[in-house]
Amino acid sequence: MTESFEPTSTPPQPDGPVVSVRGLRKVYDGLVAVEALDFDLLPGQVLGLVGPNGAGKTTSMRAICGILPPTAGDIRIAGHDLATDPVGAKRRLAYVPDDPKLFDALTVWEHLRFTAAAYRVADFAPRAETLLNRFELAPKRDALAQELSRGMRQKLAICCAYLHDPAAVFLDEPLTGLDPRGIRTMKDSIRERAAAGTAFVVSSHLLSLIEDLCTGLLILNRGKRLFFGGLAEARSEFAGTGPDGESGTLEEVFLRATEGADGPDAPAPRGGE
């Protein structure tokens, strides 16, 4: 029987958006990587972040998570202003990059213990044991990170991200390195935590993952927002309805939304705030 994966002690969720981004701008050496990005994410929502290579997806996520300093903009995580209360904001989020950097000299269990200390998670051991069992890492609890396969490193990064029950989780290509069982576990964990109120931002080029999990869609291109809204709205806006009466695929939505988005006749950003 599969163990329950719901958070063991979910902190109170904010009344308003878990993630609120207004006017996010990031410039590198005169190059605008992200321009005037706005969106809100409510508890339990799973937002798919998509766009071509170089669209600004990872830069946006890293800026929202406080890893990169934004050039301009207002970012709030669970009501905490990232600029004036960075510690409070970061305590309520978790970020797993596409290539998680672990501590090679620490064991799997030591990673969880270190994460618990950093986020002040009291009595973390039962929660950590549940995570290790769910992600099939229990047999590797005493193994050094440098001894783990790529997929196991990914699973350990996810376990560390979930350990403090964050209000918002940012995942960049979360299925990298995972085998089919690991992929199913990853998807189930997102669904279960979202049902418990956790908000997710999932960035991936695997449109099937976005279509399977996400309740909303944010399309970026050249650092600009092309669309923000529900998947059904995106299909209606960009893919229309085929002759058989069925809605277009997310691939069609993506291709039509980003087609010609760089030229002088590019469409204005669409979707609600």
Side-chain angles (χ1 to χ4, degrees):
M1 182 176 180
T2 302
E3 296 181 57
S4 172
F5 196 59
E6 293 185 5
T8 55
S9 57
T10 306
Q13 296 291 350
D15 294 332
V18 177
V19 179
S20 179
V21 178
R22 292 291 179 274
L24 175 60
R25 190 171 193 261
K26 179 62 181 178
V27 180
Y28 294 103
D29 298 326
L31 175 65
V32 179
V34 181
E35 181 65 71
L37 179 59
D38 296 339
F39 72 91
D40 286 336
L41 192 60
L42 298 176
Q45 290 186 327
V46 182
L47 180 67
L49 175 58
V50 302
N53 293 329
K57 303 183 298 296
T58 296
T59 296
S60 297
M61 295 180 76
R62 288 169 64 87
I64 294 168
C65 292
I67 299 169
L68 292 175
T71 305
D74 179 77
I75 300 167
R76 295 177 182 272
I77 307 294
H80 298 272
D81 189 319
L82 185 63
T84 60
D85 185 15
V87 174
K90 292 177 183 180
R91 280 180 179 167
R92 300 307 309 279
L93 66 81
Y95 171 59
V96 181
D98 60 345
D99 185 17
K101 304 299 182 184
L102 303 178
F103 299 100
D104 285 345
L106 294 185
T107 67
V108 167
W109 186 255
E110 287 169 343
H111 274 86
L112 291 166
R113 187 170 63 191
F114 175 81
T115 301
Y119 286 95
R120 300 180 183 177
V121 180
D123 191 24
F124 80 97
R127 192 180 309 180
E129 293 283 5
T130 298
L131 287 165
L132 290 184
N133 287 329
R134 183 64 187 275
F135 283 93
E136 301 181 315
L137 284 175
K140 296 290 185 178
R141 59 178 292 139
D142 296 322
L144 295 173
Q146 64 184 4
E147 301 170 356
L148 301 179
S149 68
R150 176 65 181 86
M152 289 180 180
R153 292 170 68 88
Q154 183 76 5
K155 291 178 181 179
L156 177 55
I158 296 294
C159 290
C160 291
Y162 283 168
L163 186 63
H164 67 287
D165 285 337
V169 179
F170 295 77
L171 303 173
D172 196 350
E173 297 293 355
L175 303 187
T176 302
L178 298 183
D179 59 20
R181 187 182 298 276
I183 290 172
R184 173 174 286 187
T185 300
M186 183 72 249
K187 289 181 177 181
D188 287 346
S189 76
I190 294 173
R191 293 189 183 100
E192 291 164 9
R193 286 190 165 252
T198 304
F200 282 85
V201 177
V202 180
S203 177
S204 180
H205 290 299
L206 299 175
L207 298 182
S208 59
L209 171 67
I210 302 299
E211 200 158 20
D212 189 25
L213 288 178
C214 297
T215 57
L217 187 67
L218 174 58
I219 304 176
L220 297 182
N221 194 57
R222 292 293 181 97
K224 296 180 180 180
R225 192 189 82 178
L226 298 182
F227 177 85
F228 173 68
L231 268 66
E233 182 186 357
R235 289 190 178 96
S236 175
E237 187 76 39
F238 294 107
T241 302
D244 57 0
E246 295 184 358
S247 298
T249 66
L250 191 56
E251 181 181 20
E252 290 175 316
V253 169
F254 176 84
L255 293 175
R256 293 184 185 181
T258 56
E259 185 178 38
D262 302 327
D265 299 324
R270 306 180 188 183
E273 292 298 330

